[in-house]
Amino acid sequence: MPEWYHSGMAMTVRIPPELDAQLSELAERRHTSKHALLIEAADRFVREEVTTEEAVGIALGVADRYSELMTKLEDA
């Protein structure tokens, strides 16, 4: 098999017609392909999801660390 054959995952994506039309318009405006847009969107989604998990973890840590102070402020 040629090396390019193994350089990434190939998949079929079924996109609703309305979304496909919107992707086509956006790709044309940005002078890129729908494929590139979908890769960019998937990458952004994964990065933001991780960021959300990290933010929740930080918020929980802050809430735990300052729970006593927050209780005192509630009573004030």
Side-chain angles (χ1 to χ4, degrees), residues 2-71:
E3 187 177 326
W4 61 264
Y5 185 81
H6 299 286
S7 64
M9 175 58 89
M11 65 183 341
T12 300
V13 179
R14 290 174 183 82
I15 299 174
E18 184 178 307
L19 180 56
D20 184 56
Q22 291 171 327
L23 282 171
S24 293
E25 290 173 19
L26 181 58
E28 187 173 326
R29 282 196 314 267
R30 292 177 70 179
H31 305 286
T32 190
S33 66
K34 290 190 285 187
H35 173 266
L37 291 177
L38 291 173
I39 296 298
E40 179 183 338
D43 179 64
R44 186 179 301 171
F45 178 79
V46 169
R47 282 185 288 113
E48 288 177 2
E49 191 69 18
V50 170
T51 302
T52 300
E53 289 175 11
E54 291 171 353
V56 169
I58 291 168
L60 290 174
V62 168
D64 186 47
R65 187 176 313 124
Y66 295 105
S67 63
E68 187 177 319
L69 175 61
M70 293 169 76
T71 302

